[in-house]
Amino acid sequence: LLIIFIFYFVNKVIIKMLNNATKNSGIITEIEQQNKDKYKGSNLTERQLENYKTQLTNYIEIHQSYLENNITLNQLAEALQVNPKVLSQVINSGFSYSFFDFINKYRIDHAAHLLNANDKNLTIQEIMYDSGFSSKSSFNTAFKKFKDLTPTAFKKTNKKGSTS
């Protein structure tokens, strides 16, 4: 009887999960839905969102403001002449990042580039500061989040790959 009960229960749970599974299930769409709910009252159109994304990306890549260790959403919004709430929505909805993750993604890409092209033999701490981080723990955490490796492991992997 116990085996029959377990079999029935497991099948019930699995069938229920399969019946509820849709193309809208999953963590990514859950985040997107939260962003839609969060910005339900916003007047920002999809076209405006795309324009702001392009404007933001161009500005960030040209001015490299992510290298400033104390950059804020308000400072970036002021530089782009955009309302901070609109900029926040663009980053959250358009890139699916928080402001800090958005900035840290650029910083980590910059740090990875420095680690790859480390012909000056910079230390990891120097690269951390050059990339806009002021804390080793936040640098290591962000690096691991975006590259799935610590900076040291990334550097070692890069050296092994370049010698073969």
Side-chain angles (χ1 to χ4, degrees), residues 19-54:
N19 286 338
N20 289 334
T22 65
K23 66 178 183 173
N24 292 332
S25 64
I27 193 152
I28 299 298
T29 53
E30 186 177 322
I31 291 169
E32 288 171 357
Q33 186 60 43
Q34 287 173 351
N35 282 339
K36 284 181 184 176
D37 293 344
K38 183 177 180 180
Y39 300 112
K40 196 182 330 184
S42 172
N43 295 328
L44 194 63
T45 66
E46 281 296 317
R47 187 172 184 191
Q48 289 172 320
L49 179 71
E50 289 303 317
N51 288 339
Y52 282 132
K53 279 177 61 177
T54 302

PDB file of all heavy atoms in Angstrom, residues 19-54:
ATOM      1  N   ASN A  19       1.221  19.587 -16.600  1.00  0.00           N
ATOM      2  CA  ASN A  19       0.032  20.307 -17.054  1.00  0.00           C
ATOM      3  C   ASN A  19       0.179  21.808 -16.869  1.00  0.00           C
ATOM      4  O   ASN A  19      -0.352  22.588 -17.653  1.00  0.00           O
ATOM      5  CB  ASN A  19      -1.216  19.816 -16.313  1.00  0.00           C
ATOM      6  CG  ASN A  19      -1.664  18.456 -16.794  1.00  0.00           C
ATOM      7  OD1 ASN A  19      -1.339  18.045 -17.902  1.00  0.00           O
ATOM      8  ND2 ASN A  19      -2.396  17.746 -15.952  1.00  0.00           N
ATOM      9  N   ASN A  20       0.890  22.221 -15.829  1.00  0.00           N
ATOM     10  CA  ASN A  20       1.080  23.646 -15.565  1.00  0.00           C
ATOM     11  C   ASN A  20       2.249  24.245 -16.329  1.00  0.00           C
ATOM     12  O   ASN A  20       2.406  25.452 -16.375  1.00  0.00           O
ATOM     13  CB  ASN A  20       1.286  23.888 -14.066  1.00  0.00           C
ATOM     14  CG  ASN A  20       0.018  23.675 -13.281  1.00  0.00           C
ATOM     15  OD1 ASN A  20      -1.072  23.814 -13.815  1.00  0.00           O
ATOM     16  ND2 ASN A  20       0.159  23.327 -12.013  1.00  0.00           N
ATOM     17  N   ALA A  21       3.090  23.402 -16.910  1.00  0.00           N
ATOM     18  CA  ALA A  21       4.254  23.906 -17.647  1.00  0.00           C
ATOM     19  C   ALA A  21       3.780  24.562 -18.941  1.00  0.00           C
ATOM     20  O   ALA A  21       3.008  23.995 -19.694  1.00  0.00           O
ATOM     21  CB  ALA A  21       5.211  22.768 -17.960  1.00  0.00           C
ATOM     22  N   THR A  22       4.226  25.756 -19.158  1.00  0.00           N
ATOM     23  CA  THR A  22       3.895  26.476 -20.381  1.00  0.00           C
ATOM     24  C   THR A  22       5.146  27.151 -20.878  1.00  0.00           C
ATOM     25  O   THR A  22       6.188  27.126 -20.224  1.00  0.00           O
ATOM     26  CB  THR A  22       2.822  27.556 -20.121  1.00  0.00           C
ATOM     27  OG1 THR A  22       3.388  28.538 -19.251  1.00  0.00           O
ATOM     28  CG2 THR A  22       1.565  26.983 -19.531  1.00  0.00           C
ATOM     29  N   LYS A  23       5.045  27.787 -22.023  1.00  0.00           N
ATOM     30  CA  LYS A  23       6.198  28.514 -22.534  1.00  0.00           C
ATOM     31  C   LYS A  23       6.521  29.712 -21.646  1.00  0.00           C
ATOM     32  O   LYS A  23       7.599  30.259 -21.724  1.00  0.00           O
ATOM     33  CB  LYS A  23       5.953  28.964 -23.965  1.00  0.00           C
ATOM     34  CG  LYS A  23       4.858  29.989 -24.114  1.00  0.00           C
ATOM     35  CD  LYS A  23       4.715  30.415 -25.542  1.00  0.00           C
ATOM     36  CE  LYS A  23       3.643  31.506 -25.628  1.00  0.00           C
ATOM     37  NZ  LYS A  23       3.566  32.082 -26.919  1.00  0.00           N
ATOM     38  N   ASN A  24       5.609  30.118 -20.796  1.00  0.00           N
ATOM     39  CA  ASN A  24       5.835  31.263 -19.915  1.00  0.00           C
ATOM     40  C   ASN A  24       6.395  30.856 -18.560  1.00  0.00           C
ATOM     41  O   ASN A  24       6.527  31.684 -17.684  1.00  0.00           O
ATOM     42  CB  ASN A  24       4.538  32.043 -19.704  1.00  0.00           C
ATOM     43  CG  ASN A  24       4.088  32.721 -20.973  1.00  0.00           C
ATOM     44  OD1 ASN A  24       4.887  33.064 -21.820  1.00  0.00           O
ATOM     45  ND2 ASN A  24       2.787  32.892 -21.120  1.00  0.00           N
ATOM     46  N   SER A  25       6.695  29.579 -18.376  1.00  0.00           N
ATOM     47  CA  SER A  25       7.243  29.173 -17.092  1.00  0.00           C
ATOM     48  C   SER A  25       8.750  29.316 -17.121  1.00  0.00           C
ATOM     49  O   SER A  25       9.359  29.371 -18.179  1.00  0.00           O
ATOM     50  CB  SER A  25       6.846  27.732 -16.763  1.00  0.00           C
ATOM     51  OG  SER A  25       7.412  26.855 -17.701  1.00  0.00           O
ATOM     52  N   GLY A  26       9.323  29.372 -15.972  1.00  0.00           N
ATOM     53  CA  GLY A  26      10.774  29.507 -15.887  1.00  0.00           C
ATOM     54  C   GLY A  26      11.152  30.802 -15.217  1.00  0.00           C
ATOM     55  O   GLY A  26      10.368  31.737 -15.133  1.00  0.00           O
ATOM     56  N   ILE A  27      12.375  30.861 -14.755  1.00  0.00           N
ATOM     57  CA  ILE A  27      12.814  32.006 -13.964  1.00  0.00           C
ATOM     58  C   ILE A  27      12.970  33.262 -14.803  1.00  0.00           C
ATOM     59  O   ILE A  27      12.670  34.355 -14.352  1.00  0.00           O
ATOM     60  CB  ILE A  27      14.104  31.683 -13.194  1.00  0.00           C
ATOM     61  CG1 ILE A  27      14.383  32.745 -12.155  1.00  0.00           C
ATOM     62  CG2 ILE A  27      15.287  31.535 -14.128  1.00  0.00           C
ATOM     63  CD1 ILE A  27      15.141  32.252 -10.975  1.00  0.00           C
ATOM     64  N   ILE A  28      13.403  33.128 -16.059  1.00  0.00           N
ATOM     65  CA  ILE A  28      13.608  34.316 -16.898  1.00  0.00           C
ATOM     66  C   ILE A  28      12.278  35.008 -17.140  1.00  0.00           C
ATOM     67  O   ILE A  28      12.159  36.219 -16.975  1.00  0.00           O
ATOM     68  CB  ILE A  28      14.281  33.942 -18.238  1.00  0.00           C
ATOM     69  CG1 ILE A  28      15.651  33.319 -18.009  1.00  0.00           C
ATOM     70  CG2 ILE A  28      14.387  35.150 -19.157  1.00  0.00           C
ATOM     71  CD1 ILE A  28      16.646  34.221 -17.319  1.00  0.00           C
ATOM     72  N   THR A  29      11.277  34.259 -17.525  1.00  0.00           N
ATOM     73  CA  THR A  29       9.988  34.890 -17.789  1.00  0.00           C
ATOM     74  C   THR A  29       9.341  35.376 -16.499  1.00  0.00           C
ATOM     75  O   THR A  29       8.575  36.321 -16.530  1.00  0.00           O
ATOM     76  CB  THR A  29       9.041  33.937 -18.538  1.00  0.00           C
ATOM     77  OG1 THR A  29       8.958  32.711 -17.834  1.00  0.00           O
ATOM     78  CG2 THR A  29       9.535  33.688 -19.943  1.00  0.00           C
ATOM     79  N   GLU A  30       9.664  34.743 -15.393  1.00  0.00           N
ATOM     80  CA  GLU A  30       9.150  35.220 -14.113  1.00  0.00           C
ATOM     81  C   GLU A  30       9.714  36.605 -13.804  1.00  0.00           C
ATOM     82  O   GLU A  30       8.995  37.500 -13.382  1.00  0.00           O
ATOM     83  CB  GLU A  30       9.518  34.236 -13.005  1.00  0.00           C
ATOM     84  CG  GLU A  30       8.916  34.570 -11.658  1.00  0.00           C
ATOM     85  CD  GLU A  30       9.250  33.525 -10.618  1.00  0.00           C
ATOM     86  OE1 GLU A  30       9.267  32.329 -10.936  1.00  0.00           O
ATOM     87  OE2 GLU A  30       9.490  33.929  -9.463  1.00  0.00           O
ATOM     88  N   ILE A  31      11.001  36.795 -14.063  1.00  0.00           N
ATOM     89  CA  ILE A  31      11.635  38.101 -13.855  1.00  0.00           C
ATOM     90  C   ILE A  31      11.038  39.118 -14.817  1.00  0.00           C
ATOM     91  O   ILE A  31      10.733  40.245 -14.434  1.00  0.00           O
ATOM     92  CB  ILE A  31      13.165  38.002 -14.018  1.00  0.00           C
ATOM     93  CG1 ILE A  31      13.751  37.198 -12.865  1.00  0.00           C
ATOM     94  CG2 ILE A  31      13.807  39.375 -14.099  1.00  0.00           C
ATOM     95  CD1 ILE A  31      15.207  36.815 -13.054  1.00  0.00           C
ATOM     96  N   GLU A  32      10.867  38.708 -16.080  1.00  0.00           N
ATOM     97  CA  GLU A  32      10.282  39.619 -17.068  1.00  0.00           C
ATOM     98  C   GLU A  32       8.872  40.023 -16.638  1.00  0.00           C
ATOM     99  O   GLU A  32       8.482  41.178 -16.780  1.00  0.00           O
ATOM    100  CB  GLU A  32      10.245  38.959 -18.450  1.00  0.00           C
ATOM    101  CG  GLU A  32      11.612  38.828 -19.078  1.00  0.00           C
ATOM    102  CD  GLU A  32      11.610  37.995 -20.343  1.00  0.00           C
ATOM    103  OE1 GLU A  32      10.541  37.450 -20.718  1.00  0.00           O
ATOM    104  OE2 GLU A  32      12.683  37.883 -20.963  1.00  0.00           O
ATOM    105  N   GLN A  33       8.106  39.070 -16.110  1.00  0.00           N
ATOM    106  CA  GLN A  33       6.748  39.369 -15.663  1.00  0.00           C
ATOM    107  C   GLN A  33       6.773  40.318 -14.473  1.00  0.00           C
ATOM    108  O   GLN A  33       5.968  41.246 -14.395  1.00  0.00           O
ATOM    109  CB  GLN A  33       5.999  38.076 -15.296  1.00  0.00           C
ATOM    110  CG  GLN A  33       4.538  38.299 -14.958  1.00  0.00           C
ATOM    111  CD  GLN A  33       3.756  38.901 -16.115  1.00  0.00           C
ATOM    112  OE1 GLN A  33       3.908  38.511 -17.257  1.00  0.00           O
ATOM    113  NE2 GLN A  33       2.919  39.877 -15.815  1.00  0.00           N
ATOM    114  N   GLN A  34       7.716  40.134 -13.563  1.00  0.00           N
ATOM    115  CA  GLN A  34       7.846  41.039 -12.427  1.00  0.00           C
ATOM    116  C   GLN A  34       8.176  42.445 -12.909  1.00  0.00           C
ATOM    117  O   GLN A  34       7.646  43.419 -12.396  1.00  0.00           O
ATOM    118  CB  GLN A  34       8.925  40.548 -11.463  1.00  0.00           C
ATOM    119  CG  GLN A  34       8.533  39.344 -10.655  1.00  0.00           C
ATOM    120  CD  GLN A  34       9.684  38.787  -9.826  1.00  0.00           C
ATOM    121  OE1 GLN A  34      10.830  39.199  -9.963  1.00  0.00           O
ATOM    122  NE2 GLN A  34       9.371  37.823  -8.974  1.00  0.00           N
ATOM    123  N   ASN A  35       9.059  42.548 -13.918  1.00  0.00           N
ATOM    124  CA  ASN A  35       9.402  43.861 -14.471  1.00  0.00           C
ATOM    125  C   ASN A  35       8.187  44.498 -15.136  1.00  0.00           C
ATOM    126  O   ASN A  35       7.970  45.699 -15.013  1.00  0.00           O
ATOM    127  CB  ASN A  35      10.559  43.759 -15.470  1.00  0.00           C
ATOM    128  CG  ASN A  35      11.900  43.629 -14.778  1.00  0.00           C
ATOM    129  OD1 ASN A  35      12.038  43.985 -13.610  1.00  0.00           O
ATOM    130  ND2 ASN A  35      12.872  43.115 -15.489  1.00  0.00           N
ATOM    131  N   LYS A  36       7.393  43.693 -15.854  1.00  0.00           N
ATOM    132  CA  LYS A  36       6.183  44.228 -16.487  1.00  0.00           C
ATOM    133  C   LYS A  36       5.222  44.745 -15.431  1.00  0.00           C
ATOM    134  O   LYS A  36       4.638  45.812 -15.585  1.00  0.00           O
ATOM    135  CB  LYS A  36       5.506  43.159 -17.345  1.00  0.00           C
ATOM    136  CG  LYS A  36       6.194  42.915 -18.662  1.00  0.00           C
ATOM    137  CD  LYS A  36       5.471  41.862 -19.468  1.00  0.00           C
ATOM    138  CE  LYS A  36       6.246  41.549 -20.753  1.00  0.00           C
ATOM    139  NZ  LYS A  36       5.608  40.466 -21.506  1.00  0.00           N
ATOM    140  N   ASP A  37       5.050  43.960 -14.360  1.00  0.00           N
ATOM    141  CA  ASP A  37       4.166  44.381 -13.280  1.00  0.00           C
ATOM    142  C   ASP A  37       4.715  45.628 -12.592  1.00  0.00           C
ATOM    143  O   ASP A  37       3.972  46.548 -12.266  1.00  0.00           O
ATOM    144  CB  ASP A  37       3.989  43.265 -12.244  1.00  0.00           C
ATOM    145  CG  ASP A  37       3.232  42.062 -12.794  1.00  0.00           C
ATOM    146  OD1 ASP A  37       2.587  42.197 -13.858  1.00  0.00           O
ATOM    147  OD2 ASP A  37       3.298  40.988 -12.166  1.00  0.00           O
ATOM    148  N   LYS A  38       6.025  45.668 -12.407  1.00  0.00           N
ATOM    149  CA  LYS A  38       6.670  46.784 -11.727  1.00  0.00           C
ATOM    150  C   LYS A  38       6.498  48.087 -12.505  1.00  0.00           C
ATOM    151  O   LYS A  38       6.324  49.149 -11.934  1.00  0.00           O
ATOM    152  CB  LYS A  38       8.163  46.469 -11.559  1.00  0.00           C
ATOM    153  CG  LYS A  38       8.966  47.500 -10.809  1.00  0.00           C
ATOM    154  CD  LYS A  38      10.402  47.024 -10.662  1.00  0.00           C
ATOM    155  CE  LYS A  38      11.260  48.022  -9.923  1.00  0.00           C
ATOM    156  NZ  LYS A  38      12.647  47.549  -9.795  1.00  0.00           N
ATOM    157  N   TYR A  39       6.544  47.993 -13.838  1.00  0.00           N
ATOM    158  CA  TYR A  39       6.479  49.182 -14.681  1.00  0.00           C
ATOM    159  C   TYR A  39       5.148  49.285 -15.434  1.00  0.00           C
ATOM    160  O   TYR A  39       5.075  49.873 -16.502  1.00  0.00           O
ATOM    161  CB  TYR A  39       7.652  49.181 -15.677  1.00  0.00           C
ATOM    162  CG  TYR A  39       8.995  49.182 -14.987  1.00  0.00           C
ATOM    163  CD1 TYR A  39       9.840  48.091 -15.057  1.00  0.00           C
ATOM    164  CD2 TYR A  39       9.409  50.284 -14.244  1.00  0.00           C
ATOM    165  CE1 TYR A  39      11.071  48.101 -14.415  1.00  0.00           C
ATOM    166  CE2 TYR A  39      10.631  50.299 -13.594  1.00  0.00           C
ATOM    167  CZ  TYR A  39      11.451  49.206 -13.691  1.00  0.00           C
ATOM    168  OH  TYR A  39      12.663  49.215 -13.049  1.00  0.00           O
ATOM    169  N   LYS A  40       4.102  48.722 -14.834  1.00  0.00           N
ATOM    170  CA  LYS A  40       2.790  48.710 -15.477  1.00  0.00           C
ATOM    171  C   LYS A  40       2.295  50.123 -15.782  1.00  0.00           C
ATOM    172  O   LYS A  40       1.708  50.366 -16.818  1.00  0.00           O
ATOM    173  CB  LYS A  40       1.777  47.981 -14.577  1.00  0.00           C
ATOM    174  CG  LYS A  40       0.537  47.581 -15.305  1.00  0.00           C
ATOM    175  CD  LYS A  40      -0.531  46.897 -14.452  1.00  0.00           C
ATOM    176  CE  LYS A  40      -0.028  46.105 -13.299  1.00  0.00           C
ATOM    177  NZ  LYS A  40      -1.063  45.402 -12.582  1.00  0.00           N
ATOM    178  N   GLY A  41       2.557  51.073 -14.920  1.00  0.00           N
ATOM    179  CA  GLY A  41       2.088  52.442 -15.102  1.00  0.00           C
ATOM    180  C   GLY A  41       2.996  53.305 -15.972  1.00  0.00           C
ATOM    181  O   GLY A  41       2.717  54.470 -16.207  1.00  0.00           O
ATOM    182  N   SER A  42       4.079  52.724 -16.472  1.00  0.00           N
ATOM    183  CA  SER A  42       5.037  53.488 -17.260  1.00  0.00           C
ATOM    184  C   SER A  42       4.502  53.762 -18.660  1.00  0.00           C
ATOM    185  O   SER A  42       3.799  52.952 -19.244  1.00  0.00           O
ATOM    186  CB  SER A  42       6.348  52.717 -17.363  1.00  0.00           C
ATOM    187  OG  SER A  42       7.212  53.351 -18.269  1.00  0.00           O
ATOM    188  N   ASN A  43       4.867  54.921 -19.191  1.00  0.00           N
ATOM    189  CA  ASN A  43       4.465  55.281 -20.542  1.00  0.00           C
ATOM    190  C   ASN A  43       5.538  54.955 -21.571  1.00  0.00           C
ATOM    191  O   ASN A  43       5.423  55.336 -22.729  1.00  0.00           O
ATOM    192  CB  ASN A  43       4.142  56.788 -20.618  1.00  0.00           C
ATOM    193  CG  ASN A  43       2.942  57.149 -19.777  1.00  0.00           C
ATOM    194  OD1 ASN A  43       2.026  56.350 -19.608  1.00  0.00           O
ATOM    195  ND2 ASN A  43       2.941  58.348 -19.231  1.00  0.00           N
ATOM    196  N   LEU A  44       6.590  54.266 -21.160  1.00  0.00           N
ATOM    197  CA  LEU A  44       7.708  53.961 -22.038  1.00  0.00           C
ATOM    198  C   LEU A  44       7.302  52.884 -23.048  1.00  0.00           C
ATOM    199  O   LEU A  44       6.896  51.789 -22.674  1.00  0.00           O
ATOM    200  CB  LEU A  44       8.892  53.464 -21.203  1.00  0.00           C
ATOM    201  CG  LEU A  44      10.258  53.388 -21.867  1.00  0.00           C
ATOM    202  CD1 LEU A  44      10.727  54.780 -22.300  1.00  0.00           C
ATOM    203  CD2 LEU A  44      11.268  52.791 -20.914  1.00  0.00           C
ATOM    204  N   THR A  45       7.415  53.210 -24.330  1.00  0.00           N
ATOM    205  CA  THR A  45       7.064  52.249 -25.381  1.00  0.00           C
ATOM    206  C   THR A  45       8.261  51.346 -25.672  1.00  0.00           C
ATOM    207  O   THR A  45       9.388  51.646 -25.274  1.00  0.00           O
ATOM    208  CB  THR A  45       6.662  52.973 -26.678  1.00  0.00           C
ATOM    209  OG1 THR A  45       7.812  53.662 -27.190  1.00  0.00           O
ATOM    210  CG2 THR A  45       5.517  53.948 -26.454  1.00  0.00           C
ATOM    211  N   GLU A  46       8.006  50.253 -26.386  1.00  0.00           N
ATOM    212  CA  GLU A  46       9.080  49.339 -26.762  1.00  0.00           C
ATOM    213  C   GLU A  46      10.121  50.056 -27.621  1.00  0.00           C
ATOM    214  O   GLU A  46      11.317  49.831 -27.477  1.00  0.00           O
ATOM    215  CB  GLU A  46       8.527  48.126 -27.523  1.00  0.00           C
ATOM    216  CG  GLU A  46       7.914  47.067 -26.636  1.00  0.00           C
ATOM    217  CD  GLU A  46       8.918  46.423 -25.693  1.00  0.00           C
ATOM    218  OE1 GLU A  46      10.055  46.108 -26.123  1.00  0.00           O
ATOM    219  OE2 GLU A  46       8.576  46.233 -24.514  1.00  0.00           O
ATOM    220  N   ARG A  47       9.664  50.913 -28.509  1.00  0.00           N
ATOM    221  CA  ARG A  47      10.581  51.650 -29.376  1.00  0.00           C
ATOM    222  C   ARG A  47      11.472  52.596 -28.554  1.00  0.00           C
ATOM    223  O   ARG A  47      12.677  52.681 -28.780  1.00  0.00           O
ATOM    224  CB  ARG A  47       9.784  52.432 -30.403  1.00  0.00           C
ATOM    225  CG  ARG A  47      10.660  53.095 -31.433  1.00  0.00           C
ATOM    226  CD  ARG A  47       9.852  53.698 -32.534  1.00  0.00           C
ATOM    227  NE  ARG A  47      10.751  54.245 -33.537  1.00  0.00           N
ATOM    228  CZ  ARG A  47      10.381  55.008 -34.521  1.00  0.00           C
ATOM    229  NH1 ARG A  47       9.110  55.301 -34.670  1.00  0.00           N
ATOM    230  NH2 ARG A  47      11.247  55.464 -35.378  1.00  0.00           N
ATOM    231  N   GLN A  48      10.864  53.298 -27.595  1.00  0.00           N
ATOM    232  CA  GLN A  48      11.639  54.180 -26.730  1.00  0.00           C
ATOM    233  C   GLN A  48      12.643  53.368 -25.906  1.00  0.00           C
ATOM    234  O   GLN A  48      13.791  53.788 -25.732  1.00  0.00           O
ATOM    235  CB  GLN A  48      10.718  54.962 -25.794  1.00  0.00           C
ATOM    236  CG  GLN A  48       9.891  56.016 -26.477  1.00  0.00           C
ATOM    237  CD  GLN A  48       8.857  56.624 -25.532  1.00  0.00           C
ATOM    238  OE1 GLN A  48       8.246  55.917 -24.727  1.00  0.00           O
ATOM    239  NE2 GLN A  48       8.660  57.936 -25.644  1.00  0.00           N
ATOM    240  N   LEU A  49      12.198  52.225 -25.417  1.00  0.00           N
ATOM    241  CA  LEU A  49      13.074  51.348 -24.633  1.00  0.00           C
ATOM    242  C   LEU A  49      14.293  50.949 -25.464  1.00  0.00           C
ATOM    243  O   LEU A  49      15.430  51.040 -24.985  1.00  0.00           O
ATOM    244  CB  LEU A  49      12.313  50.106 -24.162  1.00  0.00           C
ATOM    245  CG  LEU A  49      13.111  49.094 -23.350  1.00  0.00           C
ATOM    246  CD1 LEU A  49      13.431  49.634 -21.973  1.00  0.00           C
ATOM    247  CD2 LEU A  49      12.338  47.795 -23.231  1.00  0.00           C
ATOM    248  N   GLU A  50      14.076  50.553 -26.697  1.00  0.00           N
ATOM    249  CA  GLU A  50      15.182  50.164 -27.578  1.00  0.00           C
ATOM    250  C   GLU A  50      16.111  51.353 -27.859  1.00  0.00           C
ATOM    251  O   GLU A  50      17.331  51.196 -27.898  1.00  0.00           O
ATOM    252  CB  GLU A  50      14.659  49.564 -28.879  1.00  0.00           C
ATOM    253  CG  GLU A  50      14.031  48.194 -28.710  1.00  0.00           C
ATOM    254  CD  GLU A  50      14.964  47.166 -28.082  1.00  0.00           C
ATOM    255  OE1 GLU A  50      16.159  47.114 -28.467  1.00  0.00           O
ATOM    256  OE2 GLU A  50      14.513  46.422 -27.191  1.00  0.00           O
ATOM    257  N   ASN A  51      15.517  52.539 -28.062  1.00  0.00           N
ATOM    258  CA  ASN A  51      16.334  53.740 -28.298  1.00  0.00           C
ATOM    259  C   ASN A  51      17.196  54.072 -27.086  1.00  0.00           C
ATOM    260  O   ASN A  51      18.382  54.398 -27.222  1.00  0.00           O
ATOM    261  CB  ASN A  51      15.461  54.938 -28.668  1.00  0.00           C
ATOM    262  CG  ASN A  51      14.889  54.829 -30.063  1.00  0.00           C
ATOM    263  OD1 ASN A  51      15.401  54.105 -30.911  1.00  0.00           O
ATOM    264  ND2 ASN A  51      13.801  55.540 -30.311  1.00  0.00           N
ATOM    265  N   TYR A  52      16.593  53.988 -25.899  1.00  0.00           N
ATOM    266  CA  TYR A  52      17.350  54.257 -24.669  1.00  0.00           C
ATOM    267  C   TYR A  52      18.445  53.211 -24.450  1.00  0.00           C
ATOM    268  O   TYR A  52      19.538  53.528 -23.984  1.00  0.00           O
ATOM    269  CB  TYR A  52      16.429  54.321 -23.452  1.00  0.00           C
ATOM    270  CG  TYR A  52      15.662  55.606 -23.318  1.00  0.00           C
ATOM    271  CD1 TYR A  52      14.283  55.597 -23.078  1.00  0.00           C
ATOM    272  CD2 TYR A  52      16.292  56.843 -23.409  1.00  0.00           C
ATOM    273  CE1 TYR A  52      13.572  56.783 -22.941  1.00  0.00           C
ATOM    274  CE2 TYR A  52      15.588  58.031 -23.277  1.00  0.00           C
ATOM    275  CZ  TYR A  52      14.222  57.988 -23.042  1.00  0.00           C
ATOM    276  OH  TYR A  52      13.529  59.162 -22.902  1.00  0.00           O
ATOM    277  N   LYS A  53      18.139  51.937 -24.775  1.00  0.00           N
ATOM    278  CA  LYS A  53      19.148  50.885 -24.638  1.00  0.00           C
ATOM    279  C   LYS A  53      20.361  51.190 -25.524  1.00  0.00           C
ATOM    280  O   LYS A  53      21.501  51.082 -25.086  1.00  0.00           O
ATOM    281  CB  LYS A  53      18.560  49.522 -25.039  1.00  0.00           C
ATOM    282  CG  LYS A  53      17.737  48.851 -23.981  1.00  0.00           C
ATOM    283  CD  LYS A  53      17.127  47.557 -24.475  1.00  0.00           C
ATOM    284  CE  LYS A  53      18.168  46.547 -24.882  1.00  0.00           C
ATOM    285  NZ  LYS A  53      17.573  45.252 -25.313  1.00  0.00           N
ATOM    286  N   THR A  54      20.084  51.584 -26.762  1.00  0.00           N
ATOM    287  CA  THR A  54      21.163  51.916 -27.693  1.00  0.00           C
ATOM    288  C   THR A  54      21.956  53.112 -27.198  1.00  0.00           C
ATOM    289  O   THR A  54      23.195  53.108 -27.201  1.00  0.00           O
ATOM    290  CB  THR A  54      20.586  52.204 -29.096  1.00  0.00           C
ATOM    291  OG1 THR A  54      19.857  51.053 -29.527  1.00  0.00           O
ATOM    292  CG2 THR A  54      21.672  52.532 -30.091  1.00  0.00           C
TER     293      THR A  54
END
